[in-house]
Amino acid sequence: MKGAGQIYFTCKDKAVSLDRNYFCTGRYMFEYYTDYIVLRKDFVPENKAGYFDIQLLTQDSAAIYMELHNEAFLSVPLSVLIDEGEVDRILADPNTDAGLFVRNGMIYGTFEIQYGDIPEISAFSINRSRQGQGYGKLALKTIEQYLESRGYNSVELSVAGRNKRACSLYSDCGYILEKYVSIWYTATK
């Protein structure tokens, strides 16, 4: 088989039901790879002590932002790596905030937020050397506090269902399934 090794499948026909494990078309078999879901959280008042400081993205911090973002997302299913052009787009977009999580002069990770009726966390990461130490939860709380201070009362984010570590973190932090966006399959023949 030539061409794409993975395909995205969606259908507006409510009568069509996909098997979550596989489907066939012609002589090709496709196995379930992952889904892409949207999660949502409504903010509740809580103690905000001990959160990160946010350093918004500038041209001066662009190189470290790209390095940390790309390092964190290199092996994440359906993730996007960024380059200088993407940083320029982020900096020029008035509906986007991005930057670094900082505490005591140390950088712990990155974030990007897209604004609309409900803001969306389009990316956030924690440095690999600091993962598994509770900093992901702290980073999410920092973003939530930042958005709350700007007058928002909820936030959404998207994640590949195959990214079990991220899905677990979001669930632990109170994010709930809003909707399924798509399903991805891998060609097996």
Side-chain angles (χ1 to χ4, degrees), residues 4 11 15-16 28 34 41-42 47 61 81-82 87 92 101 104 109 112 114 116 137 144 160 169 171 185:
C11 183
V16 173
Y28 300 109
T34 192
K41 181 175 182 183
D42 295 326
N47 180 4
S61 61
L81 302 182
I82 59 173
V87 168
F101 296 113
N104 299 326
E112 182 181 343
Q114 300 277 322
K137 290 179 182 178
E144 293 163 12
L169 169 66
S171 176
Y185 292 86

Side-chain angles (χ1 to χ4, degrees), residues 37-147:
I37 57 179
V38 175
L39 305 174
R40 181 181 175 141
K41 181 175 182 183
D42 295 326
F43 302 145
V44 294
E46 40 186 298
N47 180 4
K48 296 180 177 25
Y51 289 180
F52 287 119
D53 293 323
I54 286 181
Q55 179 184 336
L56 291 176
L57 180 63
T58 65
Q59 283 296 343
D60 291 339
S61 61
I64 190 70
Y65 177 85
M66 281 188 300
E67 178 185 334
L68 295 174
H69 173 93
N70 291 343
E71 174 188 288
F73 284 98
L74 186 61
S75 62
V76 175
L78 303 178
S79 65
V80 176
L81 302 182
I82 59 173
D83 58 16
E84 292 88 2
E86 180 64 8
V87 168
D88 290 341
R89 182 205 59 81
I90 292 168
L91 288 170
D93 186 347
N95 295 315
T96 301
D97 277 342
L100 305 170
F101 296 113
V102 180
R103 181 188 270 172
N104 299 326
M106 301 285 293
I107 298 171
Y108 285 73
T110 66
F111 71 92
E112 182 181 343
I113 302 166
Q114 300 277 322
Y115 292 99
D117 292 337
I118 299 174
E120 177 189 353
I121 302 170
S122 50
F124 99 93
S125 69
I126 297 298
N127 302 356
R128 284 187 184 263
S129 65
R130 299 184 191 281
Q131 291 179 0
Q133 301 172 41
Y135 294 119
K137 290 179 182 178
L138 189 61
L140 280 173
K141 299 275 186 204
T142 300
I143 292 172
E144 293 163 12
Q145 177 188 15
Y146 177 72
L147 292 171

